[in-house]
Amino acid sequence: MLIEIKNLHASVNDIEIIKGLDLDVAPGEVHAIMGPNGSGKSTLAQALAGREDYVVTEGSVSYKGQNLLDMEPDSRARAGLFLSFQYPVEIPGVSNVYLLKAALNACRKEKGETEIDAVEFMRFIKDKAKLMELDEKFLSRGVNEGFSGGEKKRNEIFQMAVLEPDLAILDETDSGLDIDALKVVANGLNAQRDGQRSFLLITHYQRLLDYIEPDYVHVLADGRIIRSGGKELALELEENGYDNILAAAS
Amino acid sequence: MASKQPDVKDFVDRKYEHGFFTDIEADTLAPGLNEDVIRLISKIKGEPAFMLDWRLKAFSHWQTMQEPDWAKLERDAIDYQAISYYSAPRSSADAPKSLDEVDPKLLETYDKLGIPLHERARLAGVAVDAVFDSVSVATTFKEKLAEAGVLFCSFSEAVKDHPELIERYLGTVVPHRDNFFAALNSAVFTDGSFVYIPKGVRCPMELSTYFRINAANTGQFERTLIIADEGSYVSYLEGCTAPQRDENQLHAAVVELIAEKDAEIKYSTVQNWYPGDEEGRGGIYNFVTKRGDCRGDRSKISWTQVEAGSAITWKYPSCVLRGNDSVGEFYSVAVTNNLQQADTGTKMIHIGKNTRSTIISKGISAGRAQNAYRGLVKIFPTAENARNYSQCDSLLMGNQCGAHTFPYMEIKNPTAQVAHEATTSKIADDQLFYCRQRGLREEDAVNMIVNGFCKEVFRKLPMEFAVEAQALMNVSLEGAVG
Amino acid sequence: MNTATPDTATIEVIRKTWQERPPAANPYLHGRMTRALEAFAGKGFPTTRLENWKYTDVRKLAASYPEWLRTAPDETATPDLEPLVGPDSVRISFVDGIYRPDLSTAGDLPPGIFAGSVSELLSVEPALEDKLGKLAQDSDSAFVALNTAFAGDALAIVLPDNVELQKPIYVRFHSSTSQLGTQPRVMVELGARSRATLIEHYTSGHEAIVNSVTEIRCLENAALNYYKVQDEHTDSWHTAAQYVELARNAKLTSMHLDTGAGLARNELHVRLAGPAANADCKGLFMGSNNQHIESRINIEHAAPETQSRERFRGILADKARGVFNGRIYVEPQAQKTAAELTNRNLLLSKGAEIDTKPELEIYADDVKCAHGSSTGQLDENSLFYLMSRGIEHDEARSILVEAFAGELLGDTGIEAIARKAQQSLRALRKVEQ
């Protein structure tokens, strides 16, 4: 297993949001986690990435055989865990390229590799930018500074393409995207499915799954996974809505 | 979670990289200040009579003045009689003609400071007029500048070779009675730089001076005078580092800029003098008067400063916008850590019509430091359609420091538009988390965000200075986040 | 001091005037007044060398002070005091510094409200001895000391816990005698969870000196709506200071309207002393002719999670001079403070002037503080737009000036005060044209 989550409980401001969640993801698998608003989807993503305000009170998370919960947020990132943020923050004055180069070199240093040279790096990211149909001018602009909602999301997937993580958690990456942008994001994502890389797609709507076919779909409600199934479960949700599934489960 | 709050205390542990003391025999005047000392300085410098008169006038006025106390600074009293007002490296009596003649120990000092004079100056196309203590010891690229008709030399040389220019311009921007420290400087200054750019000349290279303070008990009183004649352009760079020392050293420099019609002066500073240790022992007291006079129509003066050193910084580079359509700019980054105190800002005095000014100030405070922006925007009744925009942002790192903003706006013309904005906050948690999620260690993430915060100012610096400034920033805040 | 300061003589005359007055019967009060007089004598009138008085010169005021303090009030004056707010309020009137039951709706005074002499007040409410002068310190300000030293009649509003006053309390301070100096004093304490609305309205029929001090304490969860309207004779001198302290969760909403007096200076000091205390302060000052109007606000965040918002606007015509000073001060323990101050000024004529200084002084790191200030004339594009719709130039200007003030007056709460402001704006316009 790449990641094994056992009986996870997590709180925000002393209010328990995740209430005993179990989930295993093997290398190369794509899992979709769906659920209504307030079910704990984003809390799960933030807790796995190590956000300070999301306090794990019980349970364990093993990532590549290590105790993930013991790791600093940046160690998790360097160990190949990537979070595509639902609301990517703006960092004025820090260019996209600068952040990415520093991030990439931090990862390489961790692995004992040498730092990437500037020319090679530029070639590398320009290819990736093309993949995401991201205008090169975005590279030199401040991180997410003045980006539209769609541009921010594309920028997240672009960063993922550059950092080549082992486990990518995509928190509502589809929200706020129009259909064309959604396709671009999905293409970028699909291009990174190589049979080894794993994905955790967190989404409210089935729409994204039209373009990215998951291996498993889980329904999250009130901090627990109440149903798991194949990709057909997403279609069932789309047809019947959450209420029916929640009712059936209770 | 595994993550913990940045431990700011750790961040404060930063050692002064340029801290050492060069053992050089200095030709030093006994401490104390009186008319005889001033006569002696003037005599050593071989100055014409008008200079001595001017110094004595300044001195007699200074004696009637009180130290200003309005800045937000707490410090020990300065004993002006305990300071030696003249010190020259031994070899100064017979000034070196080339680098080969320079005392090797001096060159060694520059090497330690990372300023290989001969190498880097050439590579960067920068002419360096290095001031060691109070006397110039080396000047390069003079010939190339001479071809363009640019005068760039030490102040002493200028007094000897171009007394008419000195007599005409000295003290016309910062009069000898301007303020306590300017008056003191006028009385006792020993050297500095002089630049004259003739009409219509674009200075072929960036001019740079590195100031140093070295000998014990030696106050440093620099005087810089830059004149950009009609339609000319010059970019002047000034960088400072100082050896580590235990006692407070006083520095009271004066810089005067004059921009005639259609002329432009860009003045950049990176200041990294010894800030004192973690307990606030030692460190330079830096009281500087910098003022630019946009005398001619359409002239422009732009100040860019990165203030990272000194125990006390008291500095308000200003622009007097006299000419119609003249432009003043002030871009500043001030970093204070440990027990450093900075009270710095600018004055934009709008007198001419359609004058415009921009103020961008970024203050970063860590440790137990206090960092204040103090600025004045004054619009005279004559300044039709004057425009000013000011933005002052402060970043706090740790809960024992302070950040303060004191903008004064005095507006006496209804057609003026003056806007000021200021913010104070700490580094946002979500920015820090975002960077760490991309794999950056906390300290690197902080450095990156802080550098981003300062970007607007850094990009106004000449390229090689911008890189230095960025590095300096990281060193200055080293250890402030664990 | 071995050198005589310029106003030593003035101070001596003021001291003599004080000594000639019958001493206060209450020994505590007498001691307090004596100390206050000495505090004043020690300071003297402020000069422009003091940072806080940089833009306001009170030398002429100081010169008139001794004489005007000696002017006898007219105890029988029956000025026509048209109230600013309607009959649906509790009215309390002071004429020439003297409480006038006949001009007040005293019968309606709810329990907890007292108007009358300070000594009587202290005998009715001895507990006030400890509170009077605690927020407004005689040692901090020469004008506060003067006020305490010459304390006459005062107003005290002390509401116990859980009282909600439905009717606003409307307090009128009117000077009817020419060249008279008065020292109005107000003290307010709202008990926990109590609510009230207080309006202070200052007017004068002739030139006068008014130097008022108001102390307001809001206990936990109390809420006060405070208004101050200053509309005195344009040859008057008006100095005023309000000191407000807010306990946990207490809230102050305030509006200052300064349009009168030849020289007016108002200081509002708010100390957010308890966690989650909240202040929302607005002010509009306007001047014409040679008026000099200063508006100051000083907000001290002294507890965690406190919030404040300050919005002040100035409109200056003719040769009027406006001075604004806004200070946000955050103490080290006041983490998670949020504070925002804006000051906007309109200069309508050549010769008008504004001196403004919004300050931040911050000693806590986890804060979000901001201030902004802008000064300009009416927007030419807006003016042109209105004129292109057929509106005459002067009318278009008026509309824009009213809009500028209107943005601030929008949610004033008391309609009459917004109306009063609009009235003053129209008067300003007339002068301007």
PDB file of all heavy atoms in Angstrom, chain C residues 203-227:
ATOM      1  N   THR C 203     -23.918  73.897  21.473  1.00  0.00           N
ATOM      2  CA  THR C 203     -24.272  75.077  20.683  1.00  0.00           C
ATOM      3  C   THR C 203     -23.928  76.325  21.494  1.00  0.00           C
ATOM      4  O   THR C 203     -23.726  76.261  22.705  1.00  0.00           O
ATOM      5  CB  THR C 203     -25.787  75.120  20.379  1.00  0.00           C
ATOM      6  OG1 THR C 203     -26.504  75.016  21.622  1.00  0.00           O
ATOM      7  CG2 THR C 203     -26.194  73.988  19.463  1.00  0.00           C
ATOM      8  N   SER C 204     -23.836  77.477  20.802  1.00  0.00           N
ATOM      9  CA  SER C 204     -23.666  78.733  21.526  1.00  0.00           C
ATOM     10  C   SER C 204     -24.254  79.869  20.707  1.00  0.00           C
ATOM     11  O   SER C 204     -24.246  79.834  19.480  1.00  0.00           O
ATOM     12  CB  SER C 204     -22.183  78.991  21.825  1.00  0.00           C
ATOM     13  OG  SER C 204     -21.449  79.063  20.630  1.00  0.00           O
ATOM     14  N   GLY C 205     -24.790  80.832  21.421  1.00  0.00           N
ATOM     15  CA  GLY C 205     -25.395  81.983  20.762  1.00  0.00           C
ATOM     16  C   GLY C 205     -24.363  83.046  20.428  1.00  0.00           C
ATOM     17  O   GLY C 205     -24.543  83.843  19.515  1.00  0.00           O
ATOM     18  N   HIS C 206     -23.260  83.051  21.180  1.00  0.00           N
ATOM     19  CA  HIS C 206     -22.194  84.032  20.974  1.00  0.00           C
ATOM     20  C   HIS C 206     -20.872  83.303  21.033  1.00  0.00           C
ATOM     21  O   HIS C 206     -20.823  82.104  21.253  1.00  0.00           O
ATOM     22  CB  HIS C 206     -22.210  85.097  22.078  1.00  0.00           C
ATOM     23  CG  HIS C 206     -23.522  85.788  22.210  1.00  0.00           C
ATOM     24  ND1 HIS C 206     -23.867  86.854  21.430  1.00  0.00           N
ATOM     25  CD2 HIS C 206     -24.568  85.541  23.030  1.00  0.00           C
ATOM     26  CE1 HIS C 206     -25.078  87.252  21.763  1.00  0.00           C
ATOM     27  NE2 HIS C 206     -25.533  86.471  22.737  1.00  0.00           N
ATOM     28  N   GLU C 207     -19.805  84.089  20.892  1.00  0.00           N
ATOM     29  CA  GLU C 207     -18.496  83.456  21.042  1.00  0.00           C
ATOM     30  C   GLU C 207     -18.331  83.008  22.495  1.00  0.00           C
ATOM     31  O   GLU C 207     -18.733  83.707  23.420  1.00  0.00           O
ATOM     32  CB  GLU C 207     -17.371  84.397  20.595  1.00  0.00           C
ATOM     33  CG  GLU C 207     -17.107  85.589  21.482  1.00  0.00           C
ATOM     34  CD  GLU C 207     -18.008  86.781  21.170  1.00  0.00           C
ATOM     35  OE1 GLU C 207     -19.114  86.573  20.645  1.00  0.00           O
ATOM     36  OE2 GLU C 207     -17.596  87.916  21.446  1.00  0.00           O
ATOM     37  N   ALA C 208     -17.782  81.827  22.670  1.00  0.00           N
ATOM     38  CA  ALA C 208     -17.640  81.261  24.013  1.00  0.00           C
ATOM     39  C   ALA C 208     -16.470  80.287  24.005  1.00  0.00           C
ATOM     40  O   ALA C 208     -15.968  79.905  22.944  1.00  0.00           O
ATOM     41  CB  ALA C 208     -18.920  80.536  24.413  1.00  0.00           C
ATOM     42  N   ILE C 209     -16.045  79.933  25.224  1.00  0.00           N
ATOM     43  CA  ILE C 209     -15.058  78.867  25.348  1.00  0.00           C
ATOM     44  C   ILE C 209     -15.769  77.670  25.955  1.00  0.00           C
ATOM     45  O   ILE C 209     -16.439  77.804  26.985  1.00  0.00           O
ATOM     46  CB  ILE C 209     -13.882  79.285  26.258  1.00  0.00           C
ATOM     47  CG1 ILE C 209     -13.005  80.323  25.551  1.00  0.00           C
ATOM     48  CG2 ILE C 209     -13.061  78.067  26.659  1.00  0.00           C
ATOM     49  CD1 ILE C 209     -11.909  80.905  26.447  1.00  0.00           C
ATOM     50  N   VAL C 210     -15.645  76.541  25.313  1.00  0.00           N
ATOM     51  CA  VAL C 210     -16.202  75.313  25.878  1.00  0.00           C
ATOM     52  C   VAL C 210     -15.082  74.289  25.913  1.00  0.00           C
ATOM     53  O   VAL C 210     -14.374  74.100  24.924  1.00  0.00           O
ATOM     54  CB  VAL C 210     -17.379  74.788  25.027  1.00  0.00           C
ATOM     55  CG1 VAL C 210     -17.838  73.435  25.550  1.00  0.00           C
ATOM     56  CG2 VAL C 210     -18.527  75.781  25.038  1.00  0.00           C
ATOM     57  N   ASN C 211     -14.920  73.698  27.079  1.00  0.00           N
ATOM     58  CA  ASN C 211     -13.884  72.675  27.227  1.00  0.00           C
ATOM     59  C   ASN C 211     -14.524  71.486  27.936  1.00  0.00           C
ATOM     60  O   ASN C 211     -14.694  71.499  29.140  1.00  0.00           O
ATOM     61  CB  ASN C 211     -12.708  73.243  28.043  1.00  0.00           C
ATOM     62  CG  ASN C 211     -11.683  72.173  28.364  1.00  0.00           C
ATOM     63  OD1 ASN C 211     -11.375  71.332  27.526  1.00  0.00           O
ATOM     64  ND2 ASN C 211     -11.173  72.184  29.585  1.00  0.00           N
ATOM     65  N   SER C 212     -14.902  70.490  27.154  1.00  0.00           N
ATOM     66  CA  SER C 212     -15.679  69.405  27.763  1.00  0.00           C
ATOM     67  C   SER C 212     -14.870  68.117  27.892  1.00  0.00           C
ATOM     68  O   SER C 212     -13.946  67.867  27.125  1.00  0.00           O
ATOM     69  CB  SER C 212     -16.950  69.142  26.944  1.00  0.00           C
ATOM     70  OG  SER C 212     -16.664  68.326  25.842  1.00  0.00           O
ATOM     71  N   VAL C 213     -15.253  67.337  28.897  1.00  0.00           N
ATOM     72  CA  VAL C 213     -14.620  66.034  29.117  1.00  0.00           C
ATOM     73  C   VAL C 213     -15.726  65.013  29.377  1.00  0.00           C
ATOM     74  O   VAL C 213     -16.621  65.250  30.186  1.00  0.00           O
ATOM     75  CB  VAL C 213     -13.661  66.066  30.331  1.00  0.00           C
ATOM     76  CG1 VAL C 213     -13.140  64.659  30.638  1.00  0.00           C
ATOM     77  CG2 VAL C 213     -12.498  67.018  30.075  1.00  0.00           C
ATOM     78  N   THR C 214     -15.660  63.903  28.664  1.00  0.00           N
ATOM     79  CA  THR C 214     -16.646  62.841  28.840  1.00  0.00           C
ATOM     80  C   THR C 214     -15.910  61.538  29.130  1.00  0.00           C
ATOM     81  O   THR C 214     -14.956  61.209  28.430  1.00  0.00           O
ATOM     82  CB  THR C 214     -17.499  62.680  27.563  1.00  0.00           C
ATOM     83  OG1 THR C 214     -18.170  63.908  27.301  1.00  0.00           O
ATOM     84  CG2 THR C 214     -18.518  61.566  27.714  1.00  0.00           C
ATOM     85  N   GLU C 215     -16.363  60.865  30.179  1.00  0.00           N
ATOM     86  CA  GLU C 215     -15.767  59.554  30.502  1.00  0.00           C
ATOM     87  C   GLU C 215     -16.852  58.494  30.369  1.00  0.00           C
ATOM     88  O   GLU C 215     -17.937  58.636  30.933  1.00  0.00           O
ATOM     89  CB  GLU C 215     -15.221  59.550  31.933  1.00  0.00           C
ATOM     90  CG  GLU C 215     -14.016  60.454  32.124  1.00  0.00           C
ATOM     91  CD  GLU C 215     -13.575  60.506  33.580  1.00  0.00           C
ATOM     92  OE1 GLU C 215     -14.156  61.300  34.347  1.00  0.00           O
ATOM     93  OE2 GLU C 215     -12.664  59.759  33.941  1.00  0.00           O
ATOM     94  N   ILE C 216     -16.548  57.458  29.630  1.00  0.00           N
ATOM     95  CA  ILE C 216     -17.543  56.411  29.378  1.00  0.00           C
ATOM     96  C   ILE C 216     -16.934  55.048  29.665  1.00  0.00           C
ATOM     97  O   ILE C 216     -15.864  54.715  29.151  1.00  0.00           O
ATOM     98  CB  ILE C 216     -18.019  56.441  27.902  1.00  0.00           C
ATOM     99  CG1 ILE C 216     -18.725  57.767  27.595  1.00  0.00           C
ATOM    100  CG2 ILE C 216     -18.934  55.249  27.610  1.00  0.00           C
ATOM    101  CD1 ILE C 216     -19.015  57.996  26.123  1.00  0.00           C
ATOM    102  N   ARG C 217     -17.647  54.304  30.491  1.00  0.00           N
ATOM    103  CA  ARG C 217     -17.189  52.951  30.799  1.00  0.00           C
ATOM    104  C   ARG C 217     -18.298  51.983  30.421  1.00  0.00           C
ATOM    105  O   ARG C 217     -19.429  52.138  30.879  1.00  0.00           O
ATOM    106  CB  ARG C 217     -16.896  52.870  32.307  1.00  0.00           C
ATOM    107  CG  ARG C 217     -15.934  51.786  32.703  1.00  0.00           C
ATOM    108  CD  ARG C 217     -15.653  51.816  34.201  1.00  0.00           C
ATOM    109  NE  ARG C 217     -14.444  52.545  34.555  1.00  0.00           N
ATOM    110  CZ  ARG C 217     -14.396  53.763  35.078  1.00  0.00           C
ATOM    111  NH1 ARG C 217     -15.514  54.422  35.305  1.00  0.00           N
ATOM    112  NH2 ARG C 217     -13.248  54.324  35.371  1.00  0.00           N
ATOM    113  N   CYS C 218     -17.982  51.011  29.585  1.00  0.00           N
ATOM    114  CA  CYS C 218     -18.982  49.997  29.229  1.00  0.00           C
ATOM    115  C   CYS C 218     -18.524  48.670  29.797  1.00  0.00           C
ATOM    116  O   CYS C 218     -17.468  48.164  29.427  1.00  0.00           O
ATOM    117  CB  CYS C 218     -19.140  49.874  27.719  1.00  0.00           C
ATOM    118  SG  CYS C 218     -19.889  51.327  26.963  1.00  0.00           S
ATOM    119  N   LEU C 219     -19.329  48.101  30.706  1.00  0.00           N
ATOM    120  CA  LEU C 219     -18.967  46.810  31.284  1.00  0.00           C
ATOM    121  C   LEU C 219     -19.302  45.687  30.295  1.00  0.00           C
ATOM    122  O   LEU C 219     -19.774  45.950  29.192  1.00  0.00           O
ATOM    123  CB  LEU C 219     -19.666  46.619  32.635  1.00  0.00           C
ATOM    124  CG  LEU C 219     -19.408  47.742  33.650  1.00  0.00           C
ATOM    125  CD1 LEU C 219     -19.980  47.370  35.016  1.00  0.00           C
ATOM    126  CD2 LEU C 219     -17.908  48.049  33.789  1.00  0.00           C
ATOM    127  N   GLU C 220     -19.060  44.456  30.708  1.00  0.00           N
ATOM    128  CA  GLU C 220     -19.175  43.326  29.790  1.00  0.00           C
ATOM    129  C   GLU C 220     -20.478  43.306  29.000  1.00  0.00           C
ATOM    130  O   GLU C 220     -21.556  43.468  29.558  1.00  0.00           O
ATOM    131  CB  GLU C 220     -19.041  42.005  30.566  1.00  0.00           C
ATOM    132  CG  GLU C 220     -17.624  41.778  31.029  1.00  0.00           C
ATOM    133  CD  GLU C 220     -17.412  40.390  31.603  1.00  0.00           C
ATOM    134  OE1 GLU C 220     -18.261  39.506  31.395  1.00  0.00           O
ATOM    135  OE2 GLU C 220     -16.390  40.195  32.266  1.00  0.00           O
ATOM    136  N   ASN C 221     -20.340  43.107  27.714  1.00  0.00           N
ATOM    137  CA  ASN C 221     -21.475  42.970  26.811  1.00  0.00           C
ATOM    138  C   ASN C 221     -22.380  44.207  26.731  1.00  0.00           C
ATOM    139  O   ASN C 221     -23.469  44.120  26.190  1.00  0.00           O
ATOM    140  CB  ASN C 221     -22.339  41.756  27.171  1.00  0.00           C
ATOM    141  CG  ASN C 221     -21.591  40.463  26.961  1.00  0.00           C
ATOM    142  OD1 ASN C 221     -21.277  40.118  25.825  1.00  0.00           O
ATOM    143  ND2 ASN C 221     -21.247  39.791  28.034  1.00  0.00           N
ATOM    144  N   ALA C 222     -21.960  45.306  27.291  1.00  0.00           N
ATOM    145  CA  ALA C 222     -22.772  46.521  27.182  1.00  0.00           C
ATOM    146  C   ALA C 222     -22.573  47.125  25.797  1.00  0.00           C
ATOM    147  O   ALA C 222     -21.577  46.868  25.137  1.00  0.00           O
ATOM    148  CB  ALA C 222     -22.368  47.514  28.256  1.00  0.00           C
ATOM    149  N   ALA C 223     -23.544  47.912  25.376  1.00  0.00           N
ATOM    150  CA  ALA C 223     -23.429  48.540  24.061  1.00  0.00           C
ATOM    151  C   ALA C 223     -23.903  49.982  24.143  1.00  0.00           C
ATOM    152  O   ALA C 223     -24.979  50.267  24.669  1.00  0.00           O
ATOM    153  CB  ALA C 223     -24.255  47.770  23.040  1.00  0.00           C
ATOM    154  N   LEU C 224     -23.075  50.875  23.638  1.00  0.00           N
ATOM    155  CA  LEU C 224     -23.436  52.292  23.648  1.00  0.00           C
ATOM    156  C   LEU C 224     -23.366  52.854  22.229  1.00  0.00           C
ATOM    157  O   LEU C 224     -22.398  52.651  21.507  1.00  0.00           O
ATOM    158  CB  LEU C 224     -22.466  53.077  24.541  1.00  0.00           C
ATOM    159  CG  LEU C 224     -22.689  54.603  24.556  1.00  0.00           C
ATOM    160  CD1 LEU C 224     -23.984  54.955  25.296  1.00  0.00           C
ATOM    161  CD2 LEU C 224     -21.511  55.330  25.186  1.00  0.00           C
ATOM    162  N   ASN C 225     -24.446  53.573  21.879  1.00  0.00           N
ATOM    163  CA  ASN C 225     -24.394  54.393  20.668  1.00  0.00           C
ATOM    164  C   ASN C 225     -24.133  55.809  21.134  1.00  0.00           C
ATOM    165  O   ASN C 225     -24.913  56.366  21.904  1.00  0.00           O
ATOM    166  CB  ASN C 225     -25.737  54.372  19.926  1.00  0.00           C
ATOM    167  CG  ASN C 225     -26.030  52.999  19.373  1.00  0.00           C
ATOM    168  OD1 ASN C 225     -25.139  52.332  18.861  1.00  0.00           O
ATOM    169  ND2 ASN C 225     -27.264  52.566  19.517  1.00  0.00           N
ATOM    170  N   TYR C 226     -23.042  56.373  20.664  1.00  0.00           N
ATOM    171  CA  TYR C 226     -22.669  57.698  21.144  1.00  0.00           C
ATOM    172  C   TYR C 226     -22.608  58.668  19.958  1.00  0.00           C
ATOM    173  O   TYR C 226     -22.032  58.347  18.921  1.00  0.00           O
ATOM    174  CB  TYR C 226     -21.309  57.627  21.842  1.00  0.00           C
ATOM    175  CG  TYR C 226     -20.779  58.964  22.290  1.00  0.00           C
ATOM    176  CD1 TYR C 226     -21.170  59.505  23.515  1.00  0.00           C
ATOM    177  CD2 TYR C 226     -19.907  59.691  21.483  1.00  0.00           C
ATOM    178  CE1 TYR C 226     -20.703  60.749  23.921  1.00  0.00           C
ATOM    179  CE2 TYR C 226     -19.432  60.926  21.878  1.00  0.00           C
ATOM    180  CZ  TYR C 226     -19.836  61.458  23.098  1.00  0.00           C
ATOM    181  OH  TYR C 226     -19.368  62.686  23.491  1.00  0.00           O
ATOM    182  N   TYR C 227     -23.199  59.839  20.151  1.00  0.00           N
ATOM    183  CA  TYR C 227     -23.127  60.877  19.116  1.00  0.00           C
ATOM    184  C   TYR C 227     -22.662  62.164  19.755  1.00  0.00           C
ATOM    185  O   TYR C 227     -23.062  62.503  20.860  1.00  0.00           O
ATOM    186  CB  TYR C 227     -24.516  61.120  18.495  1.00  0.00           C
ATOM    187  CG  TYR C 227     -25.106  59.892  17.858  1.00  0.00           C
ATOM    188  CD1 TYR C 227     -25.852  58.997  18.609  1.00  0.00           C
ATOM    189  CD2 TYR C 227     -24.929  59.631  16.500  1.00  0.00           C
ATOM    190  CE1 TYR C 227     -26.398  57.861  18.038  1.00  0.00           C
ATOM    191  CE2 TYR C 227     -25.467  58.509  15.916  1.00  0.00           C
ATOM    192  CZ  TYR C 227     -26.200  57.620  16.689  1.00  0.00           C
ATOM    193  OH  TYR C 227     -26.730  56.501  16.115  1.00  0.00           O
TER     194      TYR C 227
END
